[in-house]
């Protein structure tokens, strides 16, 4: 039975899942991660039924970086679980102007993707590290890059352009949008869980440590709160969201900050962490009695409400609102606050359904139904990997016949 390994690598963790390809579909076999890389390395994985397969700590010297973590997790999969993947699918945050769909990685693709590291410094270097590591150890193993920007590449020019000279747009300075794998999964899931709104005008709020919102129309993205980089739009755990570019100029010219220092500030010290001075974790903020924590939550909710209005304008109306991702799926309190800001659209929350984390959390009479739909970016990556490799196999057989 062919298996597909999905890898989602960050700066201090490597998440992975194993899917079995069978009967034209995919079945999840293993879900795990190696976290605490470089500090307290720990490997944990569970089976499809939730049973713990491994929970193991390692000396720091054994897992100092992402390639070492991938090697350790890979050795466990091969030697103890007898997993020999037919292919590996990766989440890559930025595909730039070159890639509007998943692609099999070769040296040329990898070199192109390296150019977008400055546009996603929190993610891109770590997304590419496992690809390089696997190519070095298993050069014949197919690897597929799946991009967070690809789902939004169908935006019209009015949503895609900045009001800057056109030659800059031609060079790739444009609004890309992110979290596309999550939004693509939601768009494909809605016909099954909410067929009455799936083909309509839907706002999806992907609320987690990284946060954005997307306007869907007939299952496609027409507008997103994020733009050229993953700094734009909603405030996030450590990123500010929308900010006047003049602030950046002020920090450089008046405060004497270097570009590297400004990058550090915008990616690591702002957002909920910067506003609260306490934490970038919504759970910690909700548990705190500090007024700064309350302000950070108020600000987050306020901005979600503002962008709901922007996306409603882009759609010329709203037929449904969907919460997804870590905060959106798990914080009933935050959902209730946001639903209150959507009252002008005709949204009416059902408190009992919200507390129970039901699929539909709005009252029957709500003009805009509200849903909670868990996302599954890893399954989306596995599906893209399977589809792309199957297509390549068909093309190869066709060439052989010719």
């Amino acid at each position: 039975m062919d298996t597909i390994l999905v890898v989602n690598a960050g700066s201090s963790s490597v998440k992975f899942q194993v899917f079995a390809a069978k009967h034209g579909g995919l079945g999840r076999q293993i879900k795990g991660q190696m976290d605490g890389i470089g500090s307290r390395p720990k490997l944990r994985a569970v089976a499809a039924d939730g049973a713990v397969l491994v929970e193991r700590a390692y000396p720091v010297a054994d897992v100092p970086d992402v390639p070492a973590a991938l090697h350790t997790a890979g050795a466990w999969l091969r030697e103890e679980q007898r997993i020999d993947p037919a292919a590996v699918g990766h989440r890559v945050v930025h595909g730039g102007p070159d890639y509007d769909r998943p692609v099999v990685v070769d040296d040329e693709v990898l070199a192109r993707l390296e150019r977008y590291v400055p546009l996603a410094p929190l993610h891109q270097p770590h997304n590419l590290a496992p690809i390089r590591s696997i190519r070095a150890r298993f050069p014949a193993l197919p690897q597929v890059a799946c991009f967070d920007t690809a789902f939004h590449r169908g935006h019209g020019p009015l949503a895609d352009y900045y009001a800057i000279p056109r030659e800059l747009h031609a060079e790739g300075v444009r609004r890309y949008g992110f979290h596309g794998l999550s939004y693509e999964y939601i768009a494909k899931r809605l016909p099954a869980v909410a067929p009455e709104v799936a083909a309509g005008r839907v706002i999806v709020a992907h609320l987690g440590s990284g946060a954005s919102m997307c306007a869907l129309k007939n299952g496609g993205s027409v507008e997103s709160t994020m733009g050229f980089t993953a700094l734009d739009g909603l405030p996030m755990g450590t990123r500010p969201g929308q900010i006047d570019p003049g602030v950046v100029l002020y920090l450089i010219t008046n405060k004497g900050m270097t570009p590297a220092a400004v990058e550090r500030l915008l990616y690591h010290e702002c957002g909920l962490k910067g506003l609260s001075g306490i934490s970038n974790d919504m759970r910690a903020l909700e548990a705190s009695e500090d007024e700064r924590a309350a302000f950070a939550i108020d600000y987050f909710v306020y901005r979600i409400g503002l962008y709901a209005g922007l996306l409603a304008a882009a759609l010329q109306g709203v037929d449904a609102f969907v919460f997804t991702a870590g905060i959106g799926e798990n914080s009933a309190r935050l959902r209730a606050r946001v639903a209150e800001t959507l009252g002008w659209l005709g949204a009416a929350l059902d408190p009992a359904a919200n507390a129970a984390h039901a699929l539909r959390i709005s009252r029957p009479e709500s003009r805009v139904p509200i849903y909670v739909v868990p996302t599954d970016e890893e399954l989306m990556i596995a599906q893209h990997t399977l589809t792309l490799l199957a297509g390549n196999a068909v093309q190869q057989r066709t060439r052989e016949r010719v």
Side-chain angles (χ1 to χ4, degrees):
M1 181 185 299
D2 285 341
T3 56
I4 292 174
L5 173 64
V6 171
V7 176
N8 185 349
S11 59
S12 62
S13 69
V14 174
K15 298 177 183 178
F16 61 89
Q17 295 195 34
V18 176
F19 294 84
K22 50 185 179 181
H23 309 301
L26 290 164
R28 199 183 321 266
Q29 289 187 313
I30 297 173
K31 179 178 182 179
Q33 72 177 56
M34 171 74 79
D35 57 19
I37 297 170
S39 57
R40 296 166 135 190
K42 182 179 180 181
L43 174 64
R44 188 177 193 276
V46 298
D49 61 1
V52 176
L53 297 174
V54 65
E55 195 155 8
R56 187 179 300 164
Y58 294 85
V60 176
D62 289 354
V63 191
D65 53 26
V66 167
L70 189 68
H71 177 69
T72 301
W76 175 79
L77 286 169
R78 289 191 309 275
E79 297 166 10
E80 299 185 38
Q81 299 300 308
R82 300 294 187 264
I83 299 295
D84 183 18
V88 184
H90 298 265
R91 178 196 179 205
V92 178
V93 166
H94 217 304
D98 296 322
Y99 301 108
D100 61 358
R101 65 200 66 191
V103 62
V104 176
V105 178
D106 57 21
D107 289 339
E108 180 183 353
V109 169
L110 192 54
R112 283 178 175 270
L113 295 178
E114 290 279 4
R115 299 191 329 219
Y116 308 128
V117 167
L119 307 189
L122 271 187
H123 304 91
Q124 197 87 346
H126 310 299
N127 298 159
L128 300 183
I131 297 177
R132 281 194 230 93
S133 179
I134 292 172
R135 281 178 65 76
R137 289 190 171 97
F138 307 99
L141 181 61
Q143 298 189 77
V144 174
C146 300
F147 305 103
D148 260 342
T149 51
F151 184 63
H152 305 293
R153 289 299 304 280
H155 285 180
L158 296 180
D160 186 57
Y161 273 71
Y162 286 110
I164 57 177
R166 282 178 172 266
E167 54 266 29
L168 289 172
H169 180 273
E171 293 174 11
V173 183
R174 60 184 72 177
R175 298 187 69 249
Y176 290 100
F178 295 87
H179 294 131
L181 291 164
S182 175
Y183 293 127
E184 185 178 10
Y185 176 82
I186 298 299
K188 290 182 180 298
R189 185 77 178 130
L190 283 178
V193 301
E196 65 278 10
V197 301
R201 302 162 299 181
V202 181
I203 296 174
V204 184
H206 177 106
L207 306 179
S209 180
S212 69
M213 295 166 68
C214 177
L216 298 179
K217 189 173 185 179
N218 196 26
S221 173
V222 299
E223 183 58 272
S224 169
T225 59
M226 280 184 168
F228 182 55
T229 71
L231 284 172
D232 202 7
L234 296 177
M236 291 162 261
T238 61
R239 287 168 272 170
Q242 181 188 27
I243 190 169
D244 184 338
V247 173
V248 177
L249 297 177
Y250 171 81
L251 294 175
I252 294 172
T253 59
N254 289 62
K255 299 289 289 182
M257 294 178 69
T258 65
V262 173
E263 180 180 277
R264 170 75 189 176
L265 173 74
L266 296 179
Y267 277 100
H268 298 279
E269 303 298 335
C270 294
L272 298 177
K273 178 182 178 182
L275 284 172
S276 70
I278 297 170
S279 176
N280 65 320
D281 191 320
M282 180 60 70
R283 293 166 295 187
L285 297 180
E286 289 185 335
S288 175
E289 296 183 359
D290 192 307
E291 62 180 16
R292 296 174 300 166
F295 178 79
I297 296 172
D298 289 346
Y299 187 89
F300 190 52
V301 171
Y302 174 67
R303 289 286 162 175
I304 294 170
L306 286 182
Y307 275 107
L310 181 150
L311 297 179
L315 290 167
Q316 291 294 284
V318 182
D319 298 314
F321 189 96
V322 176
F323 289 99
T324 195
I327 298 171
E329 294 171 24
N330 296 297
S331 177
R333 176 178 163 187
L334 191 280
R335 290 196 302 261
R337 293 283 308 280
V338 172
E340 186 178 357
T341 73
L342 302 178
W344 67 277
L345 286 169
L349 187 74
D350 180 334
N354 184 43
H357 301 281
L359 168 65
R360 177 167 173 161
I361 60 172
S362 53
R363 294 201 291 265
E365 68 272 18
S366 180
R367 293 201 307 273
V368 175
I370 308 173
Y371 299 89
V372 180
V373 182
T375 193
D376 197 334
E377 294 161 300
E378 287 76 18
L379 178 58
M380 202 73 250
I381 293 169
Q383 288 175 344
H384 280 309
T385 302
L386 181 63
T387 299
L388 188 58
L389 294 180
N392 286 354
V394 169
Q395 291 175 9
Q396 179 63 31
R397 287 196 295 270
T398 301
R399 285 195 294 268
E400 290 171 354
R401 290 193 192 103
V402 173

